[in-house]
Amino acid sequence: MAQQFVDSAAVMHRAVELAACGLGFVEPNPQVGAVIVDDCLNLIAEGFHERFGGPHAEVNALRQAGDRAAGGTLFVTLEPCRHDGKTPPCTTTLIKAGLRKVVVGMKDPAPHNDGAGIEELRTAGIDVELGLLNAVVARLTATFVKRVTTGHPYVHAKWAMTLDGKIASRTGDSRWISNEASRKIGHTLRGRMDAILIGQGTATADDPLLTARPPGPRTAARIVLDSRATLPLTSKLVLTVDDAPLLVVVSEAAPATDVERLRSVGAEVLTLPSECVAEASGEASCRQQQPDLTSLLDELGRREMTNVLVEGGGRLLGSFFDQDLIDECHVFVAPKLLGGWQAISPIAGLGLQNVPQLPQMIEPDIEIIGGDVYIHGPLCKEPRQ
């Protein structure tokens, strides 16, 4: 007996589940899922966008359905495309399939679509319903929407901290605050990123690889903000430049000899304007500077990067927070205490003047990971106090 859905919302929920299977494989395209049902909501076929450059979700579902698609209803998380790209327009395929109705989770905000696909389907006589489970679909497609509407990648911030909010002791020791299970989740997160970003202090103190182990669907570029181009050639990041790209972002004041030193071993060096960084005292000052973060995000957006992970340290995370550039947080809280006013907190910078009146994380997911608490979710972009 064919699967029967209880209502239209259940069909769209299934389309969202399918779309999530493309996470890490389809970027810079959006994750999209599609389900075809008959008038009694019996499942006819389903599909999702499986890889960048491959068939879109609607096409995969229609291929599975064959002639059974005629007269059916297609549920799709994102508005079907109407432009020629790496694949033909989905709208043309849907019209030829003889569908009676198309239910769309949300309009595609990309300038080349932006409602034109829906209009073409309606002009062809197909009934189109828009907005079913819009909030759920919006969270699914948030990374894609951020890139096509702002030109910037979606910025994830990640850190592990103790119960008293420290990411390292007063001596700089941080291994290991989170447990092994939490660290595995961190590696999974790395494996779906386009880039992983740290500051020069973290690169020197921790000497990380910044690779996903085991590898994920994407190989992230490792990015180090290093104003003076001081990253040593003995760094693990430099020694593994053939395994994953290394981008060192420097300021205009970086000595040319040091820039060339890094380029000579295979690192890409990007020079950007500088911006002031808050002092450890919390006061604004230009005695400390770093490459301009907005200019960096401009460049990563031009490279069609969709997801960027900022892993620290506290000064860099603080700069992203002060400029309201963080879209989502991934925080691992371990049942440990460090203490000490010199121990390091995850977000430095200037910070807010007042305690927010409402939670800033939107409906966070909270999981217990072998004793650690994993809290993750998008941040609300409201006016700051």
Side-chain angles (χ1 to χ4, degrees):
M1 182 180 294
Q3 177 184 350
Q4 185 178 43
F5 295 94
V6 295
D7 55 25
S8 294
V11 185
M12 189 61 81
H13 271 297
R14 176 56 182 163
V16 170
E17 289 177 355
L18 290 165
C21 296
L23 180 63
F25 295 93
V26 302
E27 291 84 355
N29 283 354
Q31 304 162 65
V32 181
V35 179
I36 302 173
V37 297
D38 63 18
D39 288 343
C40 296
L41 299 185
N42 291 306
L43 176 65
I44 294 176
E46 58 186 27
F48 64 96
H49 186 29
E50 299 176 8
R51 60 179 178 82
F52 178 69
H56 289 185
E58 305 94 312
V59 173
N60 283 330
L62 287 171
R63 285 177 178 174
Q64 187 183 104
D67 293 339
R68 296 176 297 152
T73 297
L74 171 74
F75 286 74
V76 62
T77 54
L78 190 68
E79 175 187 2
C81 69
R82 66 174 297 275
H83 66 286
D84 278 298
K86 290 185 177 294
T87 60
C90 287
T91 50
T92 302
T93 306
L94 296 180
I95 293 168
K96 288 180 179 179
L99 291 164
R100 180 183 66 83
K101 183 177 182 179
V102 175
V103 181
V104 179
M106 67 174 285
K107 187 172 71 170
D108 182 354
H112 55 251
N113 217 22
D114 196 24
I118 292 172
E119 183 60 32
E120 183 169 331
L121 293 176
R122 285 174 172 162
T123 300
I126 297 176
D127 182 18
V128 180
E129 177 184 335
L130 175 64
L132 181 62
L133 295 186
N134 183 268
V136 176
V137 175
R139 184 161 178 174
L140 169 76
T141 58
T143 60
F144 168 75
V145 171
K146 170 78 181 296
R147 187 181 61 79
V148 299
T149 59
T150 70
H152 285 178
Y154 190 87
V155 177
H156 304 255
K158 180 183 79 74
W159 65 87
M161 68 182 185
T162 59
L163 281 176
D164 53 339
K166 307 300 182 182
I167 62 172
S169 72
R170 57 186 170 80
T171 64
D173 182 52
S174 62
R175 295 185 180 179
W176 294 102
I177 287 177
S178 59
N179 62 36
E180 184 176 356
S182 293
R183 296 196 297 275
K184 285 183 179 179
I185 293 174
H187 280 283
T188 300
L189 187 62
R190 283 180 177 179
R192 60 180 180 85
M193 293 290 138
D194 293 303
I196 300 169
L197 179 62
I198 61 172
Q200 185 273 337
T202 299
T204 300
D206 295 349
D207 194 20
L209 279 170
L210 300 184
T211 53
R213 302 183 293 277
R218 309 187 80 76
T219 299
R222 287 93 50 86
I223 303 178
V224 181
L225 262 69
D226 183 11
S227 293
R228 303 287 299 178
T230 60
L231 188 69
L233 300 188
T234 54
S235 162
K236 290 177 183 176
L237 294 168
V238 173
L239 295 176
T240 58
V241 72
D242 292 333
D243 299 328
L246 173 61
L247 173 62
V248 182
V249 184
V250 304
S251 71
E252 296 155 326
T257 53
D258 288 323
V259 168
E260 184 54 37
R261 172 181 62 88
L262 290 169
R263 285 179 173 152
S264 69
V265 293
E268 180 184 358
V269 180
L270 174 67
T271 302
L272 293 178
S274 296
E275 63 182 5
C276 301
V277 180
E279 295 286 330
S281 63
E283 297 179 357
S285 169
C286 276
R287 286 177 293 187
Q288 295 285 341
Q289 296 193 344
Q290 69 184 8
D292 181 72
L293 297 184
T294 299
S295 297
L296 174 59
L297 294 179
D298 286 342
E299 175 60 26
L300 299 185
R302 280 192 289 271
R303 299 184 185 202
E304 292 195 319
M305 291 188 178
T306 302
N307 289 285
V308 172
L309 179 65
V310 183
E311 290 205 4
R315 177 180 290 175
L316 183 59
L317 284 165
S319 294
F320 270 90
F321 179 74
D322 284 346
Q323 297 179 46
D324 201 18
L325 297 176
I326 297 174
D327 296 299
E328 185 166 332
C329 288
H330 303 261
V331 183
F332 298 89
V333 184
K336 301 175 181 179
L337 297 169
L338 270 174
W341 64 272
Q342 289 182 311
I344 302 170
S345 298
I347 298 180
L350 291 176
L352 302 181
Q353 294 185 28
N354 302 300
V355 176
Q357 296 300 305
L358 297 172
Q360 291 154 289
M361 192 173 284
I362 305 169
E363 298 182 355
D365 294 311
I366 302 174
E367 306 172 49
I368 305 299
I369 310 294
D372 290 352
V373 180
Y374 176 33
I375 306 169
H376 56 104
L379 297 183
C380 182
K381 296 291 185 177
E382 294 292 340
R384 294 190 165 203
Q385 296 176 312

